[in-house]
Amino acid sequence: MSHSPAVVTHDQVHNPALQHHFATMEQQQEASTMGMWVFLITEIMFFGGMFTAYMVYRYMYYQAFVAGSEKMDFWWGTINTVVLICSSLTMALAVRSSQIGQRKALVVLLIITMLFGCVFMGIKAIEYTGHWKEHQFPGTNFHFEGPDPQHVEIFFSLYWAMTGFHALHMLIGIIIVGVIAFYSWRGKYGPDYYNPVENVGLYWHFVDMVWIYLYPLLYLISHKHGG
Amino acid sequence: MATSPTPAAERENYLNTEYGIRSWLLTTDHKRIALLYLLLITFFFFIGGFFALLIRLELLTPAGDLVQADTYNKLFTMHGQVMVFFFLIPAIPAVLGNFLIPIMIGAKDLAFPRINLFSWYLLVIGGLLMMYTILTGGADTGWTFYPPFSTAFAKSQVVTAALAIFVAGFSSILTGLNFIVTIHRMRAPGMTWSRLPLFVWANYATSIIQVLGTPVLAITLMLVALDRLFAFGIFDPQRGGDPLLFQHLFWFYSHPAVYIMILPGMGVVSEVVSCFSRKRIFGYKFMALALIAIAVLGFLVWAHHMFVAGISLYAALVFSLLSYLVAVPSAIKVFNWTATMYKGSISYATPMLYAFGFIGLFTMGGLTGLFLAALGVDVHVTDTYFVIAHFHYIMVGGMVMAYIGGLHFWWPKISGRMYPEAWGKLAALIIFVGFNLTFFPQFVLGYLGMPRRYWQYSPEFQVLNVLSTAGATILAVGYVLPMVYFLWSMRYGKVADENPWGAAGLEWMTASPPPTFNFDETPVVTWEAYDYANLKEVPVEP
Amino acid sequence: MFQTFPLWPERASTTAGGVDALFIFLLTLCGLMAIMIFIMILVFAAKYRRSRGREAEQIEGSNALELTWSGVPLVIFMGIFVWGAAIYFKERTPPQDSAEIYTVAKQWMWKFQHMEGQREINELHVPIGRDVKMIMTSQDVIHSFYVPAFRIKQDVLPGRYTVAWFRATKAGRYHLFCAEYCGTSHSGMIGDVVVMQPAQYEQWLSGGPAAPLAQTGKQLFLSLGCSTCHRFDVQGRGPNLMNAYNRPVLLDDGRTITADENYLRESILTPAVKVVSGFKPIMPIFQGIISEEQLNALVAYIKSLNQSPEGTAGTRNTPTGSPTGQPQMMQVQ
């Protein structure tokens, strides 16, 4: 493989990031972007299973779901939503920085994105601790004063499962953003090769999107939230 | 295309380019990964087969006298889980698909070689979890994991079994993802969609199902595991959960999973029938379309597993109707294979015998599917041996026949050696006879009313059960034979040239075995698929 | 019936004939289709074999043929669908005046409660020529009520009622199987359905002293304190249950549903889920407090409140006020 990065990329002149089995950078980039989209489709199906369960039970036990939702902390949920939307903005700006070759901005924006992610996780941890102490974790720990505790428990089972798997995705997201930030600092990405940053961005936005659905479904069922 | 005088062993190819265990375990070559898969799933095939033999031996007599009831329940559970998730689903895609798809489309490798290797390791991890499950007592939920039995009542290794399948599922998802991107983005110049071999189309359709369906199974099994670990109770009726919701989610994957298992087999048979009839496949476009139609319609019929489960009358009507729609593309395929043979030049090489077997047994399996989709009849035969026979005709009669047939067909390409033809024919015949003897009596048993998953049964069912067990022993011999002579042929088989069958397709235009990057230079395709009209070389009857 | 080697199952219900007819039709049709395909393959394989020195003739395909062999099967399939659906529709719709038998499945036995009060385990006595509706539930895992000779099967689920019905046509003793895997002794969860001549059946019924099921339910209704709120004379704190069964009810969330057996069941066990409009969710939860058999008795009692004073055809017992002794607590463990 001949490396001559100064010359305008030609089919014969390989970008060092071009893997051997691809003919051109375009092909490699198209392939990896498509791979990411297909992966996100599988993720939609993965969460789709839980959303289906949620819909079914919410239809069956609406009153209990309202009762459960009232135990959610409206403000923590709302703050977390804002945090995630901000993190998506910084992620989008990070992708742009990589495209126009601003290495410093890229690294900084990725780190801010990670920090937003950590804030989200921290708030989630506070909420989880509260729910645990309030006996809102299903199973033997569970206790609920109300006419229909059994089905409130189902609400909480779904709450823990859905937000738990979402938090797991957040955690993975924070780690891979960290990895990408490290390589960005090392100068791996630039206008010729920013595909990994873009793909991690897609993943990050997807995880945010899931939260955008979880937030109203879990926190905003009833209108009784005073604030 | 004169036969190369150089023996395969002396040319540089993907097998002899590097040696040593590291060169295999860290390889990103799709052909080597295919062989890693071959080893892994062969191991699990014999594990699952061993369980099957014990099941059949237990059923030799009406009384439960060979093993305890709990042991028997674990046997059929582990048989199902091992065979479905660690053999049938990875078999054709991960072994033959992995090996062939890049070559067939003129690519150097799959789009994501490292993800490909990662998929294999995922299956290894899943396999280790499954072995752990088996060695620590196994699960006894049936492969279907129905709650509330699986969540609140089973006293066995349900969580590790679910976890094993969860991990194996991600192996399957990533393989599907890799294939989809590869087929979209990696085709050689001139290799248009309408020039793709049907084997590639079949794996494409399969990949769609793997990518869309498997995640749903994954999350469903996770909810079962959460119920067992932390008492989430999402499917537990004692706590307001709905066990039918589990069944819907489970079958949303597990019905299409049947097509994950059979579609690639259809792809293999299309290649083989075309080659040994020396004809372009009849109705190429309809064949490709039918594959996609099956993949799509397959997602709309899941509740036909639940006609007596307590779903509403009208839901049952809709799912029965849709099930008949999916039968149409399956019928198209059988008719087109038959029509491909018309006015062909047919030779009876071993792969073709397997293809005959596939068409026959798949037809039987498909037609009995019509019985099961008919609501009134299904009520009587569902959850009986009729269903067991039906899906074994598809899975074992169809899919395993196609898989072994495909292994024979591409063995010269994979190993550079020919298998012994006479032994090949003998094994095909034994498998065909053994299979029918094993499973045909089960249709009768089912209509008589013998329920599935019975450890002991009423004495009037014994004669048919004895026949079935006798068949199973024959079948076992049939399955061991190819393994023996394939191994033998790796050293002693006749050296194969690049195209021993005179077949069309890019994989036959490169050396046997192929070099690491498949072709010395990227091929440019200027001909249609199955271009037998312009292939002059006709091999003699083997 | 225990021949050593039967090839066709006994036919002992009005449903069986219809199922067999469709099965035989399918057998013939599919048999012919399969044989046709096999013969074609064999003939082509023999006629066009390469060893005769044949060269293949390349044929691209034929749209007309493709459409034919898609269209014709589709039409046939639709025919089979309609036929199968018609049978199923009949199987799923119990006749209006069927005699009812409550069934509780558990690991690993079948328990039956006749309206007349008889209780059985793993043996079910029914007369020839009467429509029988099985109202079934499970107290643990999913089971399935399967009588091959009747060609009926219905899964039995915990937490709800499912229904199957049949009309037996031939006296004899038939297999009852559990058809849904339910654990260790799944294959031991079997029993016999004993079909009797009506006269013998009457004799069997009169065999043992027993309080009618609705009577037992009434006792429970009183002893559990239901009657304090569910009053028949004045408006209590709970809805009046007289003539409540199978009527539409308006719920407090605005939905209207039918008060069928499953609604009665749910409203006893977890009353807060579907509260009748105008009432408060104050009823205690009975889940885990009463057994499935007691629940059945209560449901049977509430249903019996629908009868006009002179009684309705098809049910043999009317709850009159005369107590016949303490309700037997049916804890068959």
Side-chain angles (χ1 to χ4, degrees):
Chain A
M1 273 191 214
S2 59
H3 303 268
S4 42
V7 188
V8 187
T9 31
H10 226 256
D11 271 7
Q12 285 79 7
V13 185
H14 288 293
N15 183 315
L18 179 64
Q19 290 173 290
H20 70 81
H21 59 293
F22 289 111
T24 62
M25 277 308 278
E26 289 75 51
Q27 189 189 29
Q28 175 172 328
Q29 190 196 323
E30 280 172 358
S32 71
T33 306
M34 184 178 180
M36 197 63 209
W37 279 108
V38 175
F39 177 71
L40 293 185
I41 291 172
T42 71
E43 288 279 28
I44 291 174
M45 298 306 289
F46 183 84
F47 280 99
M50 282 184 291
F51 278 104
T52 308
Y54 175 91
M55 280 185 341
V56 169
Y57 289 128
R58 178 176 160 153
Y59 174 76
M60 284 162 74
Y61 311 126
Y62 180 72
Q63 314 274 13
F65 270 51
V66 171
S69 174
E70 280 167 5
K71 297 290 173 194
M72 295 289 115
D73 193 306
F74 172 77
W75 284 111
W76 279 138
T78 310
I79 292 169
N80 252 352
T81 309
V82 174
V83 166
L84 278 195
I85 290 173
C86 291
S87 79
S88 263
L89 178 68
T90 54
M91 188 71 227
L93 290 172
V95 173
R96 185 168 171 280
S97 302
S98 73
Q99 285 166 342
I100 56 178
Q102 294 177 336
R103 187 167 71 113
K104 218 175 203 174
L106 170 61
V107 176
V108 170
L109 284 164
L110 286 176
I111 290 173
I112 296 177
T113 309
M114 276 173 76
L115 288 177
F116 276 130
C118 292
V119 169
F120 176 90
M121 295 294 276
I123 293 178
K124 206 70 228 157
I126 295 171
E127 282 189 85
Y128 279 162
T129 318
H131 290 308
W132 177 266
K133 284 186 183 152
E134 295 290 316
H135 298 284
Q136 286 155 355
F137 187 84
T140 43
N141 164 62
F142 190 81
H143 181 76
F144 188 83
E145 288 295 338
D148 191 12
Q150 189 184 41
H151 299 119
V152 178
E153 190 179 359
I154 294 239
F155 172 83
F156 275 104
S157 291
L158 284 167
Y159 165 77
W160 284 90
M162 293 168 100
T163 58
F165 277 111
H166 176 263
L168 186 66
H169 279 77
M170 283 297 299
L171 189 68
I172 294 168
I174 292 170
I175 293 170
I176 57 173
V177 171
V179 172
I180 288 288
F182 174 73
Y183 283 118
S184 305
W185 175 64
R186 296 262 297 259
K188 194 172 175 185
Y189 310 117
D192 291 337
Y193 182 59
Y194 53 84
N195 205 233
V197 186
E198 198 179 26
N199 280 344
V200 170
L202 281 175
Y203 174 83
W204 190 267
H205 296 316
F206 168 80
V207 178
D208 284 4
M209 286 290 288
V210 173
W211 179 259
I212 298 295
Y213 284 94
L214 289 178
Y215 169 61
L217 289 181
L218 297 169
Y219 289 77
L220 306 179
I221 300 183
S222 75
H223 310 286
K224 293 180 192 167
H225 292 294
Chain B
M1 276 189 246
T3 47
S4 147
T6 348
E10 286 172 27
R11 276 197 54 159
E12 164 126 343
N13 61 51
Y14 81 102
L15 290 171
N16 65 12
T17 177
E18 269 185 289
Y19 294 97
I21 192 89
R22 273 175 64 89
S23 77
W24 282 89
L25 291 181
L26 297 177
T27 183
T28 52
D29 182 346
H30 65 101
K31 299 179 287 300
R32 285 192 164 206
I33 296 171
L35 291 191
L36 292 177
Y37 270 114
L38 178 65
L39 283 177
L40 190 62
I41 69 163
T42 306
F43 171 74
F44 279 108
F45 178 69
F46 283 100
I47 297 268
F50 174 67
F51 292 152
L53 265 184
L54 286 180
I55 292 171
R56 281 316 324 164
L57 284 176
E58 167 61 57
L59 293 176
L60 202 53
T61 57
D65 39 17
L66 180 70
V67 294
Q68 298 290 313
D70 276 329
T71 313
Y72 179 80
N73 295 343
K74 286 171 180 172
L75 282 175
F76 70 69
T77 301
M78 304 324 291
H79 166 71
Q81 290 174 346
V82 166
M83 284 302 206
V84 169
F85 296 105
F86 294 91
F87 174 69
L88 288 167
I89 285 181
I92 293 184
V95 177
L96 294 175
N98 227 326
F99 193 95
L100 292 163
I101 287 173
I103 313 184
M104 281 180 161
I105 64 173
K108 287 183 186 142
D109 206 322
L110 288 173
F112 309 114
R114 278 177 296 185
I115 292 181
N116 194 22
L117 182 65
F118 180 58
S119 310
W120 182 75
Y121 277 104
L122 281 178
L123 195 67
V124 170
I125 295 167
L128 287 172
L129 280 166
M130 188 46 83
M131 288 311 293
Y132 171 82
T133 306
I134 293 169
L135 295 174
T136 53
D140 69 338
T141 56
W143 81 280
T144 45
F145 285 101
Y146 274 18
F149 181 73
S150 65
T151 53
F153 290 86
K155 291 181 186 66
S156 55
Q157 299 285 12
V158 181
V159 173
T160 52
L163 216 57
I165 292 166
F166 181 85
V167 176
F170 277 91
S171 164
S172 171
I173 290 173
L174 290 177
T175 304
L177 184 152
N178 222 336
F179 284 1
I180 288 178
V181 176
T182 304
I183 295 167
H184 270 275
R185 293 287 174 230
M186 307 290 281
R187 282 170 285 126
M191 180 51 89
T192 60
W193 285 91
S194 62
R195 284 173 177 168
L196 286 177
L198 286 172
F199 180 77
V200 177
W201 272 107
N203 275 286
Y204 183 73
T206 308
S207 302
I208 292 175
I209 304 174
Q210 285 175 304
V211 161
L212 291 180
T214 321
V216 179
L217 177 78
I219 186 61
T220 310
L221 291 182
M222 276 306 98
L223 292 178
V224 167
L226 283 175
D227 197 340
R228 278 189 81 89
L229 292 172
F230 305 115
F232 267 36
I234 287 176
F235 302 123
D236 187 351
Q238 292 302 328
R239 304 167 56 198
D242 185 355
L244 283 189
L245 177 66
F246 170 88
Q247 295 182 24
H248 280 292
L249 291 172
F250 179 83
W251 289 115
F252 179 82
Y253 165 77
S254 294
H255 187 74
V258 174
Y259 301 113
I260 296 180
M261 304 179 220
I262 196 67
L263 287 175
M266 293 173 164
V268 170
V269 169
S270 299
E271 302 300 312
V272 170
V273 167
S274 171
C275 170
F276 294 99
S277 305
R278 296 206 62 73
K279 270 186 66 189
R280 180 171 161 79
I281 201 91
F282 191 89
Y284 171 89
K285 269 186 196 149
F286 285 87
M287 287 297 260
L289 207 68
L291 288 165
I292 303 296
I294 293 173
V296 173
L297 290 172
F299 272 109
L300 306 175
V301 299
W302 73 86
H304 67 208
H305 295 265
M306 301 166 61
F307 287 155
V308 302
I311 59 172
S312 90
L313 176 58
Y314 299 99
L317 292 181
V318 170
F319 280 101
S320 167
L321 183 71
L322 290 168
S323 303
Y324 280 109
L325 293 187
V326 83
V328 173
S330 310
I332 292 179
K333 301 213 70 85
V334 171
F335 291 133
N336 277 304
W337 288 319
T338 312
T340 303
M341 292 171 63
Y342 176 68
K343 293 199 173 171
S345 165
I346 293 162
S347 89
Y348 308 142
T350 305
M352 189 62 161
L353 295 188
Y354 279 102
F356 287 147
F358 175 96
I359 299 173
L361 301 179
F362 174 75
T363 303
M364 298 267 296
L367 288 172
T368 47
L370 299 180
F371 291 62
L372 290 162
L375 287 161
V377 174
D378 181 74
V379 168
H380 175 52
V381 291
T382 189
D383 280 326
T384 69
Y385 267 83
F386 193 91
V387 173
I388 305 282
H390 159 73
F391 74 73
H392 280 91
Y393 264 80
I394 304 276
M395 311 273 91
V396 185
M399 153 61 212
V400 180
M401 281 287 208
Y403 171 65
I404 299 182
L407 272 185
H408 283 86
F409 185 53
W410 285 293
W411 190 249
K413 189 56 64 184
I414 294 171
S415 70
R417 303 273 183 166
M418 299 301 290
Y419 60 85
E421 185 64 36
W423 281 103
K425 285 182 168 142
L426 179 68
L429 191 71
I430 292 175
I431 291 175
F432 186 79
V433 171
F435 175 84
N436 280 298
L437 188 55
T438 309
F439 292 104
F440 194 83
Q442 297 185 2
F443 280 125
V444 187
L445 275 175
Y447 202 72
L448 287 174
M450 177 166 164
R452 66 191 290 195
R453 298 170 170 177
Y454 261 33
W455 169 61
Q456 52 191 10
Y457 55 85
S458 196
E460 76 262 28
F461 300 135
Q462 191 179 6
V463 177
L464 290 162
N465 271 300
V466 170
L467 285 178
S468 183
T469 302
T473 54
I474 298 174
L475 197 54
V477 175
Y479 284 143
V480 172
L481 265 184
M483 198 177 74
V484 175
Y485 63 70
F486 275 144
L487 284 173
W488 175 88
S489 76
M490 281 162 70
R491 196 176 177 114
Y492 304 105
K494 190 161 74 75
V495 172
D497 63 28
E498 69 181 24
N499 190 2
W501 310 119
L506 280 177
E507 78 269 32
W508 303 109
M509 295 181 188
T510 185
S512 301
T516 300
F517 295 133
N518 298 338
F519 300 95
D520 295 333
E521 52 193 271
T522 304
V524 177
V525 182
T526 55
W527 55 88
E528 300 302 311
Y530 308 108
D531 193 23
Y532 283 98
N534 300 313
L535 267 184
K536 289 291 163 256
E537 212 185 347
V538 184
V540 288
E541 176 74 14
Chain C
M1 75 178 267
F2 293 110
Q3 306 153 252
T4 42
F5 188 29
L7 286 172
W8 202 266
E10 288 260 11
R11 212 170 4 227
S13 78
T14 48
T15 320
V19 175
D20 280 1
L22 176 53
F23 186 80
I24 291 166
F25 170 78
L26 283 168
L27 218 51
T28 317
L29 179 83
C30 295
L32 286 175
M33 262 159 92
I35 288 168
M36 190 187 80
I37 289 165
F38 297 161
I39 287 178
M40 265 169 35
I41 290 174
L42 291 177
V43 167
F44 292 167
K47 195 169 167 194
Y48 305 122
R49 64 182 182 271
R50 195 176 302 172
S51 52
R52 277 185 172 178
R54 264 196 63 88
E55 280 226 16
E57 290 173 37
Q58 297 302 326
I59 308 164
E60 184 62 23
S62 151
N63 287 352
L65 261 179
E66 299 285 352
L67 292 177
T68 313
W69 64 42
S70 315
V72 173
L74 183 64
V75 172
I76 297 172
F77 293 165
M78 287 305 104
I80 303 171
F81 161 71
V82 171
W83 189 346
I87 297 172
Y88 184 72
F89 199 87
K90 214 178 107 192
E91 282 169 346
R92 288 286 299 264
T93 330
Q96 276 300 323
D97 52 351
S98 306
E100 294 178 343
I101 297 177
Y102 285 84
T103 305
V104 177
K106 61 165 279 189
Q107 286 176 324
W108 293 275
M109 62 170 72
W110 296 98
K111 298 185 282 189
F112 302 104
Q113 295 168 287
H114 292 259
M115 291 306 289
E116 294 79 1
Q118 271 77 8
R119 294 195 304 278
E120 304 184 75
I121 291 178
N122 290 345
E123 206 169 64
L124 174 65
H125 288 78
V126 290
I128 286 183
R130 164 128 34 111
D131 296 329
V132 176
K133 177 180 168 189
M134 311 295 296
I135 301 173
M136 305 182 290
T137 188
S138 160
Q139 67 186 57
D140 39 48
V141 302
I142 301 177
H143 302 277
S144 190
F145 178 85
Y146 179 33
V147 185
F150 295 168
R151 311 283 189 276
I152 59 158
K153 184 184 289 122
Q154 174 61 52
D155 282 9
V156 180
L157 281 79
R160 75 178 76 175
Y161 286 122
T162 53
V163 164
W165 80 275
F166 57 85
R167 180 198 277 250
T169 54
K170 196 167 136 193
R173 191 172 266 273
Y174 305 104
H175 285 302
L176 161 63
F177 290 134
C178 175
E180 185 64 64
Y181 173 65
C182 58
T184 309
S185 293
H186 168 53
S187 63
M189 193 170 158
I190 56 176
D192 289 314
V193 178
V194 184
V195 178
M196 311 171 93
Q197 298 294 345
Q200 284 171 308
Y201 179 71
E202 290 302 325
Q203 206 179 347
W204 176 83
L205 266 188
S206 57
L213 191 61
Q215 183 67 47
T216 312
K218 182 175 186 179
Q219 296 286 343
L220 273 169
F221 195 80
L222 297 171
S223 64
L224 291 169
C226 312
S227 50
T228 24
C229 296
H230 297 284
R231 304 181 65 104
F232 303 123
D233 43 3
V234 293
Q235 182 64 278
R237 287 190 292 168
N240 184 342
L241 298 177
M242 192 60 77
N243 290 319
Y245 171 64
N246 244 351
R247 301 283 147 79
V249 218
L250 179 65
L251 302 182
D252 62 356
D253 61 6
R255 280 184 291 171
T256 302
I257 55 156
T258 306
D260 55 7
E261 286 122 347
N262 269 317
Y263 175 72
L264 296 180
R265 175 193 173 83
E266 185 182 27
S267 297
I268 296 170
L269 294 180
T270 53
V273 177
K274 295 190 183 108
V275 180
V276 178
S277 176
F279 292 90
K280 290 201 172 65
I282 49 165
M283 180 172 154
I285 292 169
F286 281 91
Q287 173 124 337
I289 292 172
I290 55 173
S291 70
E292 292 291 346
E293 284 92 340
Q294 289 173 317
L295 181 61
N296 288 341
L298 281 171
V299 170
Y301 169 62
I302 295 168
K303 285 167 70 176
S304 74
L305 296 173
N306 265 34
Q307 293 165 334
S308 46
E310 54 271 19
T312 319
T315 40
R316 312 163 51 80
N317 52 300
T318 45
T320 54
S322 59
T324 52
Q326 280 300 311
Q328 288 146 304
M329 294 297 132
M330 291 148 291
Q331 303 287 15
V332 195
Q333 295 298 340

